[in-house]
Short mmCIF file of all heavy atoms in Angstrom, two decimals:
data_model
loop_
_atom_site.label_atom_id
_atom_site.label_comp_id
_atom_site.label_asym_id
_atom_site.label_seq_id
_atom_site.Cartn_x
_atom_site.Cartn_y
_atom_site.Cartn_z
N ILE A 38 -40.94 20.54 25.98
CA ILE A 38 -41.76 19.72 26.87
C ILE A 38 -41.85 20.31 28.23
O ILE A 38 -42.97 20.31 28.94
CB ILE A 38 -41.31 18.27 26.89
CG1 ILE A 38 -41.46 17.63 25.55
CG2 ILE A 38 -42.01 17.43 27.91
CD1 ILE A 38 -42.77 17.50 24.95
N ASN A 39 -40.74 20.76 28.80
CA ASN A 39 -40.77 21.30 30.13
C ASN A 39 -41.55 22.62 30.26
O ASN A 39 -42.04 22.89 31.31
CB ASN A 39 -39.30 21.40 30.72
CG ASN A 39 -38.83 20.09 31.15
OD1 ASN A 39 -39.47 19.45 32.00
ND2 ASN A 39 -37.76 19.59 30.66
N ILE A 40 -41.55 23.40 29.22
CA ILE A 40 -42.45 24.57 29.24
C ILE A 40 -43.89 24.14 29.35
O ILE A 40 -44.65 24.75 30.16
CB ILE A 40 -42.23 25.47 27.96
CG1 ILE A 40 -40.82 26.16 28.01
CG2 ILE A 40 -43.33 26.46 27.72
CD1 ILE A 40 -40.45 26.86 26.72
N VAL A 41 -44.28 23.15 28.60
CA VAL A 41 -45.64 22.63 28.68
C VAL A 41 -45.92 22.03 30.02
O VAL A 41 -46.96 22.30 30.66
CB VAL A 41 -45.95 21.55 27.54
CG1 VAL A 41 -47.25 20.93 27.74
CG2 VAL A 41 -45.83 22.23 26.16
N VAL A 42 -45.01 21.25 30.55
CA VAL A 42 -45.16 20.65 31.90
C VAL A 42 -45.35 21.66 32.95
O VAL A 42 -46.10 21.60 33.82
CB VAL A 42 -43.99 19.62 32.23
CG1 VAL A 42 -43.96 19.21 33.67
CG2 VAL A 42 -44.10 18.40 31.32
N PHE A 43 -44.39 22.71 32.90
CA PHE A 43 -44.52 23.81 33.85
C PHE A 43 -45.83 24.52 33.77
O PHE A 43 -46.49 24.82 34.83
CB PHE A 43 -43.33 24.78 33.63
CG PHE A 43 -43.28 25.90 34.63
CD1 PHE A 43 -42.75 25.66 35.88
CD2 PHE A 43 -43.77 27.19 34.30
CE1 PHE A 43 -42.77 26.72 36.79
CE2 PHE A 43 -43.77 28.22 35.19
CZ PHE A 43 -43.26 27.99 36.50
N TYR A 44 -46.31 24.77 32.56
CA TYR A 44 -47.61 25.44 32.41
C TYR A 44 -48.70 24.65 32.95
O TYR A 44 -49.55 25.22 33.74
CB TYR A 44 -47.81 25.74 30.88
CG TYR A 44 -49.22 26.38 30.60
CD1 TYR A 44 -49.43 27.71 30.85
CD2 TYR A 44 -50.19 25.55 30.05
CE1 TYR A 44 -50.68 28.20 30.65
CE2 TYR A 44 -51.45 26.13 29.82
CZ TYR A 44 -51.67 27.44 30.05
OH TYR A 44 -52.89 27.94 29.79
N VAL A 45 -48.73 23.31 32.67
CA VAL A 45 -49.82 22.46 33.18
C VAL A 45 -49.74 22.45 34.72
O VAL A 45 -50.78 22.53 35.43
CB VAL A 45 -49.73 21.11 32.62
CG1 VAL A 45 -50.67 20.08 33.34
CG2 VAL A 45 -50.06 21.08 31.08
N ASN A 46 -48.54 22.26 35.27
CA ASN A 46 -48.39 22.21 36.69
C ASN A 46 -48.82 23.59 37.36
O ASN A 46 -49.35 23.63 38.45
CB ASN A 46 -46.98 21.93 37.15
CG ASN A 46 -46.67 20.41 36.96
OD1 ASN A 46 -47.57 19.57 36.94
ND2 ASN A 46 -45.42 20.00 36.81
N ALA A 47 -48.46 24.66 36.76
CA ALA A 47 -48.80 25.95 37.29
C ALA A 47 -50.25 26.21 37.30
O ALA A 47 -50.81 26.87 38.29
CB ALA A 47 -48.16 27.08 36.44
N ARG A 48 -50.96 25.66 36.39
CA ARG A 48 -52.45 25.80 36.37
C ARG A 48 -53.07 25.00 37.49
O ARG A 48 -54.18 25.33 37.94
CB ARG A 48 -53.01 25.40 34.99
CG ARG A 48 -52.74 26.39 33.91
CD ARG A 48 -53.35 26.09 32.64
NE ARG A 48 -54.69 25.44 32.80
CZ ARG A 48 -55.29 24.78 31.81
NH1 ARG A 48 -54.78 24.65 30.67
NH2 ARG A 48 -56.53 24.30 32.09
N GLU A 49 -52.47 23.91 37.82
CA GLU A 49 -53.11 23.01 38.81
C GLU A 49 -52.74 23.31 40.29
O GLU A 49 -53.30 22.80 41.11
CB GLU A 49 -52.62 21.58 38.46
CG GLU A 49 -53.26 21.02 37.19
CD GLU A 49 -52.86 19.55 36.89
OE1 GLU A 49 -52.15 19.01 37.80
OE2 GLU A 49 -53.25 19.01 35.86
N ILE A 50 -51.81 24.30 40.45
CA ILE A 50 -51.43 24.67 41.78
C ILE A 50 -52.51 25.56 42.40
O ILE A 50 -52.90 26.54 41.77
CB ILE A 50 -50.09 25.35 41.83
CG1 ILE A 50 -48.97 24.27 41.48
CG2 ILE A 50 -49.74 25.93 43.15
CD1 ILE A 50 -47.64 24.85 41.37
N PRO A 51 -53.01 25.30 43.63
CA PRO A 51 -53.95 26.14 44.18
C PRO A 51 -53.44 27.53 44.39
O PRO A 51 -52.31 27.77 44.58
CB PRO A 51 -54.26 25.44 45.55
CG PRO A 51 -53.79 24.02 45.45
CD PRO A 51 -52.67 24.10 44.40
N ASP A 52 -54.33 28.48 44.41
CA ASP A 52 -54.00 29.90 44.62
C ASP A 52 -53.18 30.08 45.92
O ASP A 52 -53.58 29.44 46.94
CB ASP A 52 -55.27 30.81 44.68
CG ASP A 52 -55.85 30.92 43.36
OD1 ASP A 52 -55.22 30.71 42.33
OD2 ASP A 52 -57.09 31.21 43.25
N GLY A 53 -52.20 30.88 45.91
CA GLY A 53 -51.43 31.21 47.18
C GLY A 53 -50.23 30.24 47.34
O GLY A 53 -49.44 30.60 48.11
N GLU A 54 -50.15 29.10 46.63
CA GLU A 54 -49.06 28.19 46.76
C GLU A 54 -47.94 28.61 45.81
O GLU A 54 -48.25 29.15 44.73
CB GLU A 54 -49.48 26.76 46.50
CG GLU A 54 -50.23 26.11 47.67
CD GLU A 54 -50.27 24.65 47.50
OE1 GLU A 54 -49.44 24.05 46.89
OE2 GLU A 54 -51.33 24.09 48.05
N SER A 55 -46.77 28.28 46.18
CA SER A 55 -45.55 28.63 45.35
C SER A 55 -45.44 27.70 44.08
O SER A 55 -45.82 26.48 44.19
CB SER A 55 -44.27 28.53 46.20
OG SER A 55 -43.13 28.70 45.35
N LEU A 56 -44.95 28.19 43.00
CA LEU A 56 -44.71 27.34 41.85
C LEU A 56 -43.44 26.44 42.05
O LEU A 56 -43.28 25.47 41.42
CB LEU A 56 -44.42 28.22 40.66
CG LEU A 56 -45.64 28.97 40.10
CD1 LEU A 56 -45.23 29.92 38.93
CD2 LEU A 56 -46.66 27.96 39.51
N ILE A 57 -42.60 26.85 43.00
CA ILE A 57 -41.36 26.13 43.27
C ILE A 57 -41.66 25.08 44.24
O ILE A 57 -41.62 25.22 45.47
CB ILE A 57 -40.26 27.04 43.89
CG1 ILE A 57 -40.08 28.29 43.01
CG2 ILE A 57 -39.00 26.31 44.03
CD1 ILE A 57 -39.54 28.06 41.64
N GLN A 58 -42.05 23.89 43.69
CA GLN A 58 -42.34 22.73 44.48
C GLN A 58 -41.71 21.50 43.88
O GLN A 58 -41.40 21.52 42.64
CB GLN A 58 -43.89 22.44 44.49
CG GLN A 58 -44.68 23.56 45.20
CD GLN A 58 -46.15 23.20 45.20
OE1 GLN A 58 -46.61 22.15 44.90
NE2 GLN A 58 -46.92 24.17 45.62
N TRP A 59 -41.50 20.51 44.59
CA TRP A 59 -40.92 19.32 44.13
C TRP A 59 -41.59 18.75 42.81
O TRP A 59 -41.01 18.36 41.85
CB TRP A 59 -40.69 18.22 45.18
CG TRP A 59 -40.15 17.00 44.70
CD1 TRP A 59 -40.71 15.71 44.59
CD2 TRP A 59 -38.81 16.78 44.06
NE1 TRP A 59 -39.91 14.84 44.09
CE2 TRP A 59 -38.67 15.41 43.73
CE3 TRP A 59 -37.83 17.66 43.78
CZ2 TRP A 59 -37.56 14.90 43.08
CZ3 TRP A 59 -36.67 17.19 43.21
CH2 TRP A 59 -36.53 15.78 42.87
N ARG A 60 -42.92 18.68 42.88
CA ARG A 60 -43.66 18.11 41.76
C ARG A 60 -43.51 18.92 40.53
O ARG A 60 -43.65 18.32 39.39
CB ARG A 60 -45.06 17.88 42.16
CG ARG A 60 -45.87 19.10 42.30
CD ARG A 60 -47.40 18.89 42.60
NE ARG A 60 -48.10 19.84 41.90
CZ ARG A 60 -49.28 19.74 41.47
NH1 ARG A 60 -49.94 18.60 41.67
NH2 ARG A 60 -49.86 20.72 40.80
N THR A 61 -43.27 20.24 40.60
CA THR A 61 -43.13 21.07 39.42
C THR A 61 -41.75 20.95 38.84
O THR A 61 -41.45 21.22 37.72
CB THR A 61 -43.47 22.56 39.67
OG1 THR A 61 -42.71 23.06 40.67
CG2 THR A 61 -45.00 22.67 39.93
N LEU A 62 -40.78 20.61 39.77
CA LEU A 62 -39.33 20.55 39.38
C LEU A 62 -38.84 19.18 39.13
O LEU A 62 -37.78 19.03 38.60
CB LEU A 62 -38.51 21.23 40.48
CG LEU A 62 -38.83 22.70 40.72
CD1 LEU A 62 -38.00 23.19 41.88
CD2 LEU A 62 -38.58 23.56 39.48
N MET A 63 -39.64 18.23 39.46
CA MET A 63 -39.16 16.78 39.36
C MET A 63 -38.82 16.40 37.86
O MET A 63 -37.73 15.90 37.60
CB MET A 63 -40.24 15.86 39.82
CG MET A 63 -39.85 14.42 40.00
SD MET A 63 -40.99 13.39 40.93
CE MET A 63 -42.59 13.92 40.35
N THR A 64 -39.72 16.71 36.92
CA THR A 64 -39.44 16.32 35.57
C THR A 64 -38.19 17.03 34.98
O THR A 64 -37.35 16.38 34.43
CB THR A 64 -40.65 16.60 34.63
OG1 THR A 64 -41.82 15.85 35.11
CG2 THR A 64 -40.42 16.23 33.20
N PRO A 65 -38.08 18.34 35.09
CA PRO A 65 -36.97 19.03 34.58
C PRO A 65 -35.66 18.55 35.24
O PRO A 65 -34.60 18.44 34.58
CB PRO A 65 -37.15 20.46 34.79
CG PRO A 65 -38.45 20.66 35.29
CD PRO A 65 -39.12 19.36 35.54
N PHE A 66 -35.71 18.20 36.50
CA PHE A 66 -34.54 17.80 37.28
C PHE A 66 -33.96 16.53 36.85
O PHE A 66 -32.79 16.38 36.40
CB PHE A 66 -34.88 17.77 38.79
CG PHE A 66 -33.71 17.28 39.61
CD1 PHE A 66 -32.61 18.11 39.87
CD2 PHE A 66 -33.64 15.98 40.08
CE1 PHE A 66 -31.57 17.68 40.69
CE2 PHE A 66 -32.60 15.51 40.82
CZ PHE A 66 -31.49 16.39 41.11
N PHE A 67 -34.88 15.49 36.81
CA PHE A 67 -34.34 14.18 36.39
C PHE A 67 -34.09 14.09 34.92
O PHE A 67 -33.10 13.45 34.49
CB PHE A 67 -35.36 13.09 36.86
CG PHE A 67 -35.36 12.87 38.27
CD1 PHE A 67 -36.42 13.18 39.08
CD2 PHE A 67 -34.20 12.30 38.95
CE1 PHE A 67 -36.45 12.99 40.43
CE2 PHE A 67 -34.25 12.14 40.32
CZ PHE A 67 -35.32 12.50 41.08
N TRP A 68 -34.89 14.66 34.09
CA TRP A 68 -34.57 14.76 32.63
C TRP A 68 -33.32 15.53 32.39
O TRP A 68 -32.57 15.16 31.55
CB TRP A 68 -35.80 15.29 31.98
CG TRP A 68 -35.76 15.12 30.43
CD1 TRP A 68 -34.73 14.62 29.62
CD2 TRP A 68 -36.83 15.48 29.59
NE1 TRP A 68 -35.10 14.62 28.36
CE2 TRP A 68 -36.40 15.12 28.24
CE3 TRP A 68 -38.04 16.03 29.76
CZ2 TRP A 68 -37.12 15.37 27.15
CZ3 TRP A 68 -38.85 16.24 28.57
CH2 TRP A 68 -38.44 15.92 27.38
N GLY A 69 -33.17 16.56 33.17
CA GLY A 69 -31.91 17.35 33.10
C GLY A 69 -30.60 16.60 33.33
O GLY A 69 -29.62 16.84 32.76
N ILE A 70 -30.71 15.64 34.31
CA ILE A 70 -29.53 14.81 34.60
C ILE A 70 -29.27 13.97 33.34
O ILE A 70 -28.03 13.85 32.92
CB ILE A 70 -29.83 13.85 35.75
CG1 ILE A 70 -29.80 14.74 37.03
CG2 ILE A 70 -28.74 12.74 35.87
CD1 ILE A 70 -30.39 13.95 38.27
N GLY A 71 -30.23 13.43 32.68
CA GLY A 71 -30.16 12.68 31.43
C GLY A 71 -29.55 13.57 30.37
O GLY A 71 -28.73 13.14 29.58
N LEU A 72 -30.07 14.80 30.22
CA LEU A 72 -29.54 15.71 29.22
C LEU A 72 -28.07 16.05 29.45
O LEU A 72 -27.27 16.22 28.51
CB LEU A 72 -30.41 17.00 29.23
CG LEU A 72 -30.18 18.03 28.15
CD1 LEU A 72 -30.36 17.48 26.71
CD2 LEU A 72 -31.02 19.24 28.32
#
Side-chain angles (χ1 to χ4, degrees):
I38 296 298
N39 280 302
I40 287 172
V41 171
V42 168
F43 183 78
Y44 175 75
V45 168
N46 284 336
R48 285 185 38 198
E49 292 180 3
I50 291 176
D52 290 337
E54 283 193 31
S55 173
L56 290 173
I57 310 294
Q58 295 181 12
W59 176 242
R60 68 178 219 152
T61 59
L62 298 176
M63 190 168 43
T64 301
F66 177 76
F67 288 111
W68 192 354
I70 292 171
L72 184 62

